[in-house]
Amino acid sequence: MTGTLVLAGTPIGDVADAPPRLSTALAEADVIAAEDTRRLRRLTQALGVAPGGRVVSYFEGNESARTPELVEELRGGARVLLVTDAGMPSVSDPGYRLVAAAVEHDIKVTAVPGPSAVLTALALSGLPVDRFCFEGFLPRKGGERLSRLREVAGERRTLVYFEAPHRLDDTLAAMAEVFGADRRAAVCRELTKTYEEVKRGPLADLAAWAAEGVRGEITVVVEGAPDSGPEELDAGELVRRVRIREDAGERRKEAIAAVAAEAGLPKRIVFDAVVAAKRSAG
């Protein structure tokens, strides 16, 4: 018989938030795959539990190589427990490859649900939470970051992002540029920890605040775009928007399609406007 893959949530701050089943799962696992074995050791000490099986590292750098090894353990009947540094595995953390491989081999996958920075930040943000989408970490390079933000500029659902503290001011400034300076947002810092802080306000104000320096684990929640209906844009504005996207690195075909979607127009209209502008310039 094949084994079972267990995804276990770990505290995102306060160790007292560890799910009650986590201690049992740690004690009963044949193999524990941990994003950081040193953090796992600190967690087990805090919980007063001894790992019952072999502990191996499983992080971004060795995820591809270690996944087949763990699958073989599972196929041999082992109970493999996957834990990351904080929160649920697979959510911007290692785990997806192993889950996909286990599913492919008809291996049972279950979970010990635990804390989630995404859901905690949403609940504390004061923004609509009936519909949301999680965007993870944005690209580090400025042009790629702007391009990614433009892809969701018209998204009406609440947006959730993770961000490193030293990039927060640049990210919020980029969001203010793309989404609008007055778009509401919340920066959730050090959730469930001693110095937990939730800063709410317009994106421009939050960018100015973050420019002074911010520390800790960061989750950003941004209000969705207002439902204003398709924009009425003249040919000049359509061309301008296409050029902005091209300057950010998008290919013309993708830029035209994105602008057409934003404006609620057929792609042919935007394409014709770009072609006409090119002829007039030539």
Side-chain angles (χ1 to χ4, degrees), residues 11-15 17 39 86 189-197 216-218:
I12 60 176
D14 192 332
V15 72
D17 292 334
R39 289 199 181 191
R189 187 180 73 85
E190 295 289 85
L191 289 171
T192 78
K193 298 179 183 177
T194 302
Y195 298 104
E196 175 181 285
E197 179 181 21
E217 300 287 336
I218 305 292

Side-chain angles (χ1 to χ4, degrees), residues 178-193:
V178 175
F179 298 155
D182 295 329
R183 181 83 71 89
R184 293 188 301 161
V187 176
C188 303
R189 187 180 73 85
E190 295 289 85
L191 289 171
T192 78
K193 298 179 183 177

Side-chain angles (χ1 to χ4, degrees), residues 151-162:
E151 290 177 5
V152 294
E155 175 59 64
R156 292 171 57 191
R157 293 173 293 178
T158 298
L159 301 160
V160 185
Y161 295 89
F162 287 159

Side-chain angles (χ1 to χ4, degrees), residues 13 19-20 47 67 79 94 115 132 155 158 174 177 188 198 207 209 212 278:
L47 295 175
T67 293
R79 188 174 184 85
F132 69 90
E155 175 59 64
T158 298
E177 176 184 342
C188 303
V198 180
W209 164 76
E212 299 177 5
K278 186 176 180 181

Side-chain angles (χ1 to χ4, degrees), residues 6-12 14-29 32-34 39-40 42-52 79 81-89 111-115:
V6 183
L7 310 181
T10 56
I12 60 176
D14 192 332
V15 72
D17 292 334
R21 288 171 53 205
L22 179 58
S23 293
T24 303
L26 288 165
E28 294 181 348
I32 301 174
R39 289 199 181 191
L40 173 65
R42 290 196 292 270
L43 176 62
T44 55
Q45 289 172 348
L47 295 175
V49 60
R79 188 174 184 85
L81 180 71
L82 177 61
V83 294
T84 54
D85 292 347
M88 286 298 298
V112 176

Side-chain angles (χ1 to χ4, degrees), residues 19-228:
R21 288 171 53 205
L22 179 58
S23 293
T24 303
L26 288 165
E28 294 181 348
D30 298 305
V31 180
I32 301 174
E35 184 177 9
D36 187 324
T37 57
R38 292 167 300 180
R39 289 199 181 191
L40 173 65
R41 189 179 305 113
R42 290 196 292 270
L43 176 62
T44 55
Q45 289 172 348
L47 295 175
V49 60
R54 183 166 58 94
V55 175
V56 299
S57 63
Y58 189 76
F59 60 98
E60 185 178 359
N62 72 354
E63 191 175 1
S64 295
R66 180 135 288 169
T67 293
E69 299 174 14
L70 294 174
V71 168
E72 285 306 305
E73 295 275 6
L74 288 162
R75 293 181 69 186
R79 188 174 184 85
V80 176
L81 180 71
L82 177 61
V83 294
T84 54
D85 292 347
M88 286 298 298
S90 293
V91 182
S92 275
D93 277 333
Y96 165 73
R97 287 186 178 90
L98 183 54
V99 172
V103 170
E104 183 180 349
H105 287 85
D106 293 323
I107 294 167
K108 180 181 178 180
V109 182
T110 187
V112 176
S116 165
V118 175
L119 298 180
T120 304
L122 273 167
L124 297 179
S125 69
L127 298 172
V129 296
D130 53 329
R131 298 176 66 226
F132 69 90
C133 54
F134 175 56
E135 289 289 308
F137 285 95
L138 286 165
R140 297 182 180 184
K141 294 182 180 180
E144 294 176 4
R145 181 167 53 226
L146 284 171
S147 179
R148 182 75 62 80
L149 289 172
R150 290 188 183 110
E151 290 177 5
V152 294
E155 175 59 64
R156 292 171 57 191
R157 293 173 293 178
T158 298
L159 301 160
V160 185
Y161 295 89
F162 287 159
E163 190 51 280
H166 62 278
R167 291 196 297 268
L168 180 61
D169 55 342
D170 289 338
T171 291
L172 290 171
M175 288 177 171
E177 176 184 342
V178 175
F179 298 155
D182 295 329
R183 181 83 71 89
R184 293 188 301 161
V187 176
C188 303
R189 187 180 73 85
E190 295 289 85
L191 289 171
T192 78
K193 298 179 183 177
T194 302
Y195 298 104
E196 175 181 285
E197 179 181 21
V198 180
K199 192 78 174 177
R200 305 175 183 87
L203 281 168
D205 292 355
L206 292 174
W209 164 76
E212 299 177 5
V214 178
R215 294 182 179 181
E217 300 287 336
I218 305 292
T219 305
V220 181
V221 185
V222 185
E223 182 180 33
D227 182 18
S228 55

